[in-house]
Amino acid sequence: MPAYHSAFNDETSARQVGNMAILPINTKVRGPAPLAADPSQPDIIEESLDLFRANCLFRNFEIKGPADRLMIYLILFISECLSKLAPTPGRPSPGYQEALKLLQTQAVDTFALPGDAGFPLNSLYHAPASRMDADALRSYLTQTRTELAIRLVDRLYPHEQVLGADGQPTGQVGARANKPSKWWMSFQKRRFMGRSLTA
């Protein structure tokens, strides 16, 4: 079974910095990302979240376009976020609010860009052509990382269903789960393409 590729590879009008696509996203986070023409359609962040668990099982991935490079980056960032929320001896997994703060901080922390010495995927990515392009890419990735962190926490801590007296769901939305979903956290040690953004 082959890995899943981005549906946005066909977007020929998307701007590129280096060889990474700058795609529209649906967000309220301020930044330089173009706004999606149709907010009801999934964007690259939604696509990355949907394909994360399937794609992170693959060690090899054939890049078919600039949107694939952005998707690879976002999938690796999801892995980094899951590792940040993993319980350690003496420290349980955080609750919803603490997880949101941790991941939003992680999103805006200093990170390497393609072409920097600390960027682990330099063999697959071209460096930005100028300092202005590098600043634009850093701003765009900060915005997408922040939006991805918000959406990831919403998936990790779903609302619990309210049960009626008969034990059946009432259709009402309850409080958020107090621990991250085990279906997501079971992928924390998986490394898409055997890579990580931090090493």
Side-chain angles (χ1 to χ4, degrees), residues 3 5 14 16 31 34 42 46 50 52 55 59 98 113 133 139-141 146 151 153-155 189 195:
H5 293 275
Q16 289 185 44
E46 204 64 33
D50 290 344
F52 168 75
N55 274 359
R59 293 194 59 78
E98 188 183 346
L113 291 176
D133 278 354
S139 296
Y140 176 74
L141 289 178
T146 304
R151 293 190 207 176
V153 171
D154 283 346
R155 288 187 184 209
K189 288 190 168 77
R195 303 290 182 96

Side-chain angles (χ1 to χ4, degrees), residues 81-191:
C81 290
L82 292 179
S83 296
K84 187 91 171 164
L85 299 180
T88 57
R91 189 199 70 151
S93 289
Y96 174 78
Q97 288 298 332
E98 188 183 346
L100 188 59
K101 284 181 197 167
L102 276 170
L103 295 191
Q104 285 183 316
T105 302
Q106 180 84 10
V108 297
D109 272 353
T110 304
F111 56 91
L113 291 176
D116 292 350
F119 190 72
L121 302 165
N122 276 328
S123 61
L124 305 173
Y125 291 75
H126 296 163
S130 67
R131 182 78 188 147
M132 198 167 82
D133 278 354
D135 290 343
L137 181 61
R138 184 174 301 282
S139 296
Y140 176 74
L141 289 178
T142 300
Q143 183 184 13
T144 54
R145 285 163 57 114
T146 304
E147 179 63 27
L148 187 145
I150 293 166
R151 293 190 207 176
L152 177 61
V153 171
D154 283 346
R155 288 187 184 209
L156 287 172
Y157 298 85
H159 287 283
E160 295 175 346
Q161 291 189 349
V162 176
L163 301 178
D166 59 356
Q168 298 298 315
T170 62
Q172 294 176 323
V173 176
R176 293 246 180 220
N178 58 359
K179 291 190 309 190
S181 164
K182 65 182 179 182
W183 306 114
W184 276 88
M185 295 306 288
S186 63
F187 286 85
Q188 79 189 33
K189 288 190 168 77
R190 294 269 182 192
R191 292 288 173 251

